[in-house]
Amino acid sequence: FVILSSGCPRTENKSRPGAETLTKDVGKKVIWTFWDKGESRLNGFGKINIRTWKTLLPDWEIKVIDFVEGSPFHYRNFIKESDLPAEFEKMAMIQQQSDHVRILLLRDYGGIWIDSSTILLQNLEPWAWEPIAKGQADIVGFHQTRYGRPGVPEGFENWFIASRKGNAFITKWQEIFRSYWNHRSKSINILGHELFRGLQLSPTFPWGSADYL
């Protein structure tokens, strides 16, 4: 398991036998992102970012998933509707719909999720993908050091996630997330829900927006 903190890797290496050999089930070299109106209608900043990714990672597929009917990148072309919450299309926030899309894509296909607002300054393959491809890690991501207060678990960021296909952590994350959202279109009073009861989320959401989840 690898977490990158403030640009510096902190690695918990759980290599398995034969880790020096590239695994066959890791998934394709694909970067996933999302823009509901489609890649052609990304804002200027997003377009620059995607163009930069393509320059830095010329041998990677970059797929911008969308909600555009008839688009080859419509989410339904990649995700089974039965894996989504019943009220998915009625959710109040596109960001929350995107949260479901990303973990299902990573679960079923593997690869790297990057929010379209993310600027890449270097080729990420050596530090984000090679540990996974070589069997040295199952997932690579970031955490916010400012949230690592005494007695509070570190928060795992979801704007950048590299994962092997079928990763158990991603699979469980998706199950729990879907369970909470089933038959909901808004996130209200999450701390009263059995999945979150007793969790100390105030340091993670100091501005009082825990219901964003």
Side-chain angles (χ1 to χ4, degrees), residues 9-192:
R10 188 196 68 197
T11 304
E12 299 169 26
N13 193 336
K14 294 186 178 179
S15 299
R16 293 172 292 280
E20 67 281 358
T21 303
L22 294 179
T23 58
K24 295 181 180 179
D25 62 345
V26 69
K28 295 182 179 180
K29 291 167 65 171
V30 55
I31 291 176
W32 306 96
T33 193
F34 172 82
W35 195 256
D36 63 315
K37 297 178 178 63
E39 182 175 359
S40 65
R41 297 187 63 185
L42 271 163
N43 58 32
F45 182 59
K47 287 180 179 178
I48 291 172
N49 289 335
I50 300 298
R51 192 158 57 241
T52 302
W53 302 355
K54 291 178 179 179
T55 299
L56 291 172
L57 301 160
D59 59 338
W60 281 67
E61 289 185 78
I62 296 176
K63 297 183 183 293
V64 182
I65 304 303
D66 59 45
F67 285 170
V68 180
E69 293 295 338
S71 164
F73 298 107
H74 193 284
Y75 76 90
R76 291 197 203 99
N77 293 329
F78 301 90
I79 293 172
K80 296 177 183 177
E81 296 228 37
S82 59
D83 284 335
L84 292 164
E87 302 295 318
F88 177 75
E89 294 198 349
K90 298 179 182 178
M91 285 184 178
M93 297 178 66
I94 288 175
Q95 293 91 332
Q96 292 165 340
Q97 293 173 310
S98 171
D99 289 342
H100 288 278
V101 167
R102 74 190 66 194
I103 53 179
L104 282 168
L105 291 171
L106 292 173
R107 184 197 71 178
D108 293 345
Y109 303 98
I112 301 178
W113 175 278
I114 311 178
D115 278 2
S116 62
S117 57
T118 304
I119 303 171
L120 285 186
L121 300 178
Q122 59 181 259
N123 184 336
L124 53 73
E125 191 163 349
W127 51 266
W129 191 245
E130 286 184 9
I132 293 173
K134 292 179 179 178
Q136 297 168 343
D138 287 322
I139 189 167
V140 174
F142 288 84
H143 76 94
Q144 287 277 11
T145 54
R146 62 178 171 165
Y147 297 151
R149 303 181 187 185
V152 179
E154 294 168 345
F156 188 85
E157 296 290 310
N158 75 350
W159 54 270
F160 181 102
I161 309 170
S163 174
R164 71 170 45 249
K165 178 181 176 181
N167 177 8
F169 175 76
I170 293 290
T171 299
K172 191 63 178 178
W173 181 356
Q174 189 273 330
E175 289 174 1
I176 294 172
F177 199 50
R178 183 181 185 276
S179 173
Y180 168 74
W181 273 102
N182 229 9
H183 307 297
R184 291 172 182 257
S185 60
K186 294 182 179 180
S187 183
I188 300 173
N189 190 27
I190 69 167
L191 296 180

